[in-house]
C-alpha cells in the first residue's frame, strides 16, 4: 500500500521538552488511521507539522511525495480539524463554510448543508456565541464536506453529545466508503472509534510505540484470570503488561497472540481468558511504557 | 454501539453474520448479497474490514461477483454451509457443554436426560 504521508526521523524540541523523538511513521493512502495516545504525547504536534502549521526541529515530512511547507498545492489537499480551531470574531458558520468551499476543490455544498441539519447547527449565530458542541460541529462539517485527500481530525468531538458523535462517525464512514481518502482520527474515546479505524498508531512521550493494523491488535493481548499460582505458572516468561489481584485470584494481561496449545494449556489449568479491548490495550501499553522507562531509565520498549 | 464483539476478528464476524442470514433463509440463494459499504454502515465498521469478510465468502464460494451488479449468493451455498456447521457442531457446542457438566458432577447420561427434558413436546392436557 502506498503511503500518502511519510514521516521520517521527525524530532520536535520545545526548549527543554522533546515533543517528538525521532518519529518515523507512514499513513497509508485511502485508509482511516486512529492516532492514539495520552494528552501531551505529541499527537497534535505531529499533525500540525504534517500540515505545515508548525516546524520540525529535525527530520522530514512528505505528503504525496512532496514537502508540505509553503507548498500551496499540497496544502490545499489537506484538511486539519483542530480541537481548538480559531475563527474570526464576528463570523458565522456560513462564513467558515464559504471559506472552506473556496479552499477545498472537492468541497460538497449539499453534503455540508445536510450535515448542518443533522447537527442542528444554528447558522445565523456568530461562531463565538456557539456552544462548545456546536463549535465542534462546525469543524466536523468542514472536515467531512471538504473531502480533502488527507483529513486530520484532532479530538473533534469536544462538547458533542453521544447522539451527535454517532452522527459524526456514521456520516464519516458513509462518505469515506463512497469517497475513499486518507483520514487520521485522533481520539481519547478509543472504544467509540475502534471499529472505524483500519490502522492504529499509538504515540507515547513523543515516540511511536504501536504502528499496526487494527485487526492484528485485536488478538494481541489477552487477560488470563484464575487462581494465582496457576496464572503465574502460565504467564512465566511472557510479557505481562498489567496485573490485578483480588484475594487468591489474579488477572494478568499478557502480550502476544495465544496459540492453540496455549488455549489447551489454559483449559487444563482451569484458567479463563478475557478479550482486551483496543482502549484497554492502549491504556495498558502507555502505562507499561512509563513504568519501563522509570525502572530502566533507558526508554520505552517498541 | 454495535453488534461486533471483542476478541474475535471483525471480518470473521461479518462473514459469519452473512452466513447466518443464508442459513436461516433471510438471504436466499441467487439473491443479491449486501454490498461491502452496506455491511460497513450497518455494523459501523471500516469498509476495508467488511471487504475482507466478503472476500472470505467469495473464496469459500458462498458469494460470487456479477460484474457491474454486485455480490450474489451462490446456488448450493446453504447446503454447503449446513454441512460445514454440522461438522463443527460437536466441537463448538458439545465439548464445552460436557466440560462444564463434568465440572459440576453431571454425567453425559444426565446431560442427555436434560436435553430430552428440554426438547420433549409439551404434555397433553396442560395449558395450550
Amino acid at each position: 500500500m502506498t503511503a500518502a504521508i511519510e514521516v521520517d526521523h521527525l524530532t520536535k524540541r520545545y526548549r527543554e521538552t522533546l515533543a517528538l523523538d525521532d518519529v518515523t511513521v507512514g499513513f497509508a493512502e485511502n485508509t482511516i488511521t486512529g492516532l492514539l495516545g495520552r494528552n501531551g504525547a505529541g499527537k497534535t504536534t505531529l499533525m500540525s507539522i504534517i500540515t505545515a502549521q508548525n516546524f520540525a526541529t529535525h527530520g522530514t515530512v512528505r505528503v504525496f511525495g512532496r514537502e508540505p511547507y509553503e507548498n500551496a498545492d499540497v496544502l490545499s489537499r489537506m484538511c486539519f480539524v483542530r480541537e481548538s480551531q480559531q475563527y474570526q470574531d464576528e463570523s458565522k458558520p456560513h462564513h467558515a463554510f464559504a471559506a472552506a468551499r473556496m479552499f477545498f476543490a472537492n468541497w460538497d455544498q449539499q453534503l455540508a448543508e445536510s450535515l448542518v441539519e443533522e447537527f442542528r447547527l444554528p447558522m445565523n449565530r456568530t461562531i463565538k456565541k456557539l456552544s462548545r458542541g456546536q463549535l465542534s460541529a462546525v469543524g466536523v462539517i468542514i472536515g467531512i464536506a471538504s473531502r480533502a485527500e488527507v483529513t486530520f481530525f484532532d479530538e473533534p468531538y469536544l462538547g458533542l453529545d453521544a447522539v451527535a458523535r454517532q452522527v459524526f462517525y456514521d456520516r464519516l464512514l458513509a462518505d469515506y466508503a463512497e469517497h475513499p481518502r486518507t483520514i487520521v482520527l485522533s481520539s481519547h474515546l478509543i472504544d467509540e472509534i475502534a471499529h472505524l479505524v483500519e490502522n492504529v498508531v499509538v504515540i507515547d512521550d513523543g515516540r511511536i510505540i504501536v504502528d499496526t493494523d487494527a485487526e492484528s491488535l485485536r488478538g494481541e493481548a489477552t487477560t488470563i484470570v484464575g487462581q494465582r499460582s496457576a496464572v503465574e505458572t502460565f504467564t512465566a516468561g511472557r510479557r505481562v503488561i498489567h496485573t490485578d489481584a483480588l484475594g487468591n485470584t489474579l488477572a494478568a494481561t499478557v502480550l502476544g497472540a495465544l496459540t492453540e496449545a496455549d488455549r489447551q494449556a489454559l483449559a487444563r489449568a482451569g484458567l479463563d481468558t478475557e478479550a482486551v479491548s483496543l482502549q484497554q490495550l492502549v491504556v495498558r501499553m502507555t502505562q507499561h511504557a512509563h513504568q519501563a522507562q522509570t525502572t530502566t531509565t533507558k526508554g520505552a520498549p517498541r | 454501539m454495535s453488534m461486533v464483539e471483542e476478541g474475535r476478528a471483525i471480518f470473521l464476524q461479518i462473514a459469519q453474520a452473512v452466513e447466518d442470514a443464508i442459513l436461516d433463509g433471510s438471504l436466499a440463494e441467487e439473491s443479491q448479497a449486501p454490498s461491502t459499504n452496506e455491511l460497513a454502515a450497518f455494523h459501523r465498521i471500516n469498509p476495508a474490514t467488511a471487504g475482507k469478510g466478503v472476500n472470505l465468502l467469495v473464496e469459500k464460494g458462498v458469494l460470487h461477483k456479477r460484474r457491474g451488479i454486485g455480490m450474489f449468493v451462490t446456488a448450493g451455498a446453504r447446503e454447503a454451509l449446513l454441512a460445514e456447521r454440522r461438522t463443527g457442531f460437536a466441537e463448538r457446542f458439545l465439548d464445552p457443554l460436557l466440560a462444564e457438566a463434568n465440572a459440576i458432577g453431571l454425567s453425559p447420561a444426565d446431560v442427555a436426560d436434560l436435553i430430552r427434558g428440554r426438547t420433549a413436546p409439551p404434555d397433553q392436557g396442560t395449558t395450550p
Side-chain angles (χ1 to χ4, degrees), chain A residues 32 166 170 173 176-178 191-192 195-198 215 218 275-278, chain B residues 1-2 4-11 13 37 40 44-49:
Chain A
I32 305 179
Q166 194 63 63
D170 288 354
L173 205 53
Y176 166 78
E178 296 293 324
D191 278 341
E192 290 191 356
H195 300 155
L196 305 188
V197 302
E198 191 176 343
E215 198 70 71
R218 284 172 62 81
V276 177
S277 73
L278 181 62
Chain B
M1 79 165 229
S2 80
V4 175
E5 58 178 83
E6 290 302 329
R8 267 180 69 218
I10 300 178
F11 77 96
Q13 298 183 48
N37 286 353
R44 300 197 151 119
I45 57 167
N46 190 291
T49 313

Side-chain angles (χ1 to χ4, degrees), chain A residues 12-287:
Chain A
K12 175 68 184 181
R13 184 183 289 281
Y14 297 105
R15 292 170 187 271
E16 300 301 299
T17 331
L18 205 51
L20 293 176
D21 183 3
D22 197 29
V23 166
T24 296
V25 67
F27 295 94
E29 199 171 348
N30 298 340
T31 61
I32 305 179
T33 300
L35 180 60
L36 312 176
R38 305 189 63 175
N39 285 335
K43 304 184 297 285
T44 303
T45 303
L46 177 61
M47 289 186 279
S48 52
I49 292 175
I50 295 172
T51 51
Q53 299 186 9
N54 200 338
F55 299 102
T57 308
H58 296 291
T60 59
V61 169
R62 298 228 182 273
V63 179
F64 304 118
R66 291 186 292 163
E67 278 198 35
Y69 183 66
E70 285 192 341
N71 188 331
D73 176 54
V74 170
L75 291 176
S76 68
R77 296 159 77 181
M78 285 197 285
C79 179
F80 184 14
V81 178
R82 301 182 76 121
E83 173 214 325
S84 52
Q85 185 69 50
Q86 303 288 321
Y87 301 94
Q88 280 179 340
D89 259 8
E90 291 309 311
S91 69
K92 295 178 174 178
H94 73 86
H95 293 120
F97 297 146
R101 186 179 185 171
M102 277 167 34
F103 188 74
F104 296 109
N106 300 334
W107 178 264
D108 187 322
Q109 182 64 22
Q110 261 190 326
L111 176 60
E113 283 166 14
S114 81
L115 289 167
V116 165
E117 295 242 325
E118 276 199 83
F119 284 110
R120 299 183 187 170
L121 185 66
M123 290 295 278
N124 48 8
R125 205 175 290 173
T126 58
I127 287 180
K128 70 176 175 191
K129 289 199 173 135
L130 294 180
S131 71
R132 179 65 245 198
Q134 290 165 339
L135 187 63
S136 291
V138 173
V140 161
I141 292 168
I142 291 174
I144 298 178
S146 65
R147 289 216 180 111
E149 287 164 80
V150 173
T151 308
F152 295 92
F153 289 99
D154 187 7
E155 294 179 44
Y157 47 74
L158 284 187
L160 291 181
D161 62 25
V163 175
R165 292 203 301 278
Q166 194 63 63
V167 169
F168 166 52
Y169 303 137
D170 288 354
R171 295 302 300 258
L172 179 70
L173 205 53
D175 201 63
Y176 166 78
E178 296 293 324
H179 303 275
R181 51 206 197 255
T182 306
I183 293 170
V184 178
L185 189 53
S186 162
S187 178
H188 290 299
L189 304 176
I190 301 175
D191 278 341
E192 290 191 356
I193 64 153
H195 300 155
L196 305 188
V197 302
E198 191 176 343
N199 298 316
V200 174
V201 171
V202 181
I203 185 164
D204 191 50
D205 256 351
R207 297 170 191 212
I208 306 289
I209 59 167
V210 175
D211 176 9
T212 185
D213 63 294
E215 198 70 71
S216 57
L217 263 188
R218 284 172 62 81
E220 188 50 37
T222 313
T223 301
I224 314 291
V225 189
Q227 208 236 332
R228 176 183 290 274
S229 60
V231 172
E232 282 169 350
T233 306
F234 180 81
T235 57
R238 292 172 195 269
R239 276 186 67 194
V240 177
I241 54 170
H242 187 76
T243 53
D244 282 313
L246 179 66
N248 195 33
T249 302
L250 187 66
T253 303
V254 293
L255 281 187
L258 296 181
T259 64
E260 193 49 44
D262 287 336
R263 298 207 174 271
Q264 285 166 9
L266 287 165
R268 274 197 306 275
L271 296 174
D272 288 323
T273 58
E274 279 170 18
V276 177
S277 73
L278 181 62
Q279 174 150 315
Q280 289 173 307
L281 182 60
V282 169
V283 167
R284 296 306 178 217
M285 283 177 141
T286 45
Q287 282 175 340

